[in-house]
Amino acid sequence: EAQVTQNPRYLITVTGKKLTVTCSQNMNHEYMSWYRQDPGLGLRQIYYSMNVEVTDKGDVPEGYKVSRKEKRNFPLILESPSPNQTSLYFCASSLSGTGGSEQYFGPGTRLTVT
Amino acid sequence: KQEVTQIPAALSVPEGENLVLNCSFTDSAIYNLQWFRQDPGKGLTSLLLIQSSQREQTSGRLNASLDKSSGRSTLYIAASQPGDSATYLCAVIRVNAGNMLTFGGGTRLMVKP
């Protein structure tokens, strides 16, 4: 089944403790991205990757890192999480990063930072 | 900067009604517009994708239209069912903005039996 998977689905952590949220897609998509969803602010893009080893900032990149060493994986790294990073995070992928390809989303990771 | 607005923010209808959800955007230079469905606490499910050169797309009981010149899209749901209850989000991809989706705030739909 074609899908985008994320792990973990739920995570509670403390301020400053480094964490990684994994994202994997099995559709051989070139483009992957991360969004966060917050009440009243909607969905905003954090980082994106056009292809392996090519990443760039979205609208709200502060406090996050990403890497794209393999085509199928695009982990989101919070090196020193803070409470304002408490949010619902979504990974997405599409066949191409140009021309407006249809995008597919993972199930989400709910992160709480205390 | 692209702004995407969805009206109404919430809608409650009895089962069986036909209904229309609205989406407007400020910058008509877009590649496409995508409609999603989100169930509470869950991910986004893609419903329909309309390319900028198209005027509408249909999937089952859903029909989405796009009018770039007026900056509007509508999602029509025929014969609504309780299982249609969810939040519906529209998102656009602007030309020269990579593949970044700019989302509206969503319409929360409740279909009562």
Side-chain angles (χ1 to χ4, degrees):
Chain A
E1 179 189 354
Q3 59 184 348
V4 180
T5 57
Q6 296 178 227
N7 282 292
R9 295 289 314 281
Y10 303 91
L11 180 58
I12 301 174
T13 190
V14 296
T15 298
K17 186 176 181 181
K18 181 179 178 179
L19 65 92
T20 299
V21 183
T22 65
C23 172
S24 182
Q25 49 89 9
N26 62 1
M27 296 172 278
N28 201 35
H29 283 173
E30 288 188 347
Y31 182 91
M32 298 184 74
S33 64
W34 279 100
Y35 290 81
R36 61 178 288 175
Q37 185 176 33
D38 302 288
L41 297 174
L43 282 134
R44 295 173 294 167
Q45 191 183 59
I46 303 170
Y47 266 96
Y48 66 93
S49 169
M50 298 287 276
N51 214 325
V52 176
E53 302 292 359
V54 181
T55 64
D56 208 344
K57 298 176 181 179
D59 276 350
V60 288
E62 293 75 24
Y64 304 95
K65 283 177 59 177
V66 293
S67 69
R68 187 94 180 272
K69 293 184 171 58
E70 304 167 285
K71 196 172 188 179
R72 62 182 294 132
N73 296 323
F74 190 44
L76 180 69
I77 303 157
L78 286 72
E79 296 218 325
S80 184
S82 62
N84 65 12
Q85 293 178 298
T86 292
S87 187
L88 181 57
Y89 290 87
F90 290 103
C91 180
S93 73
S94 64
L95 186 63
S96 168
T98 59
S101 298
E102 185 171 7
Q103 299 201 34
Y104 300 89
F105 280 71
T109 294
R110 186 167 293 282
L111 172 65
T112 302
V113 184
T114 61
Chain B
K1 182 181 177 181
Q2 178 74 273
E3 292 184 4
V4 182
T5 305
Q6 292 186 246
I7 294 173
L11 183 62
S12 181
V13 300
E15 181 177 5
E17 269 203 14
N18 302 324
L19 56 99
V20 174
L21 307 182
N22 296 296
C23 172
S24 61
F25 48 94
T26 54
D27 184 351
S28 62
I30 64 170
Y31 277 127
N32 63 30
L33 185 144
Q34 196 167 351
W35 281 94
F36 295 89
R37 168 189 172 135
Q38 184 176 26
D39 293 284
K42 300 289 180 65
L44 280 69
T45 301
S46 178
L47 297 173
L48 289 164
L49 171 74
I50 311 177
Q51 300 286 356
S52 64
S53 58
Q54 298 174 315
R55 293 195 62 86
E56 66 178 290
Q57 279 284 350
T58 298
S59 176
R61 293 182 295 108
L62 305 179
N63 176 276
S65 68
L66 174 64
D67 184 344
K68 273 180 49 178
S69 62
S70 65
R72 292 182 182 178
S73 176
T74 60
L75 179 66
Y76 175 83
I77 303 177
S80 58
Q81 303 170 357
D84 295 331
S85 298
T87 295
Y88 291 80
L89 296 156
C90 71
V92 300
I93 296 179
R94 284 180 294 136
V95 172
N96 298 325
N99 216 29
M100 185 179 77
L101 288 162
T102 301
F103 283 86
T107 294
R108 192 169 61 254
L109 172 66
M110 167 94 57
V111 181
K112 298 180 180 178

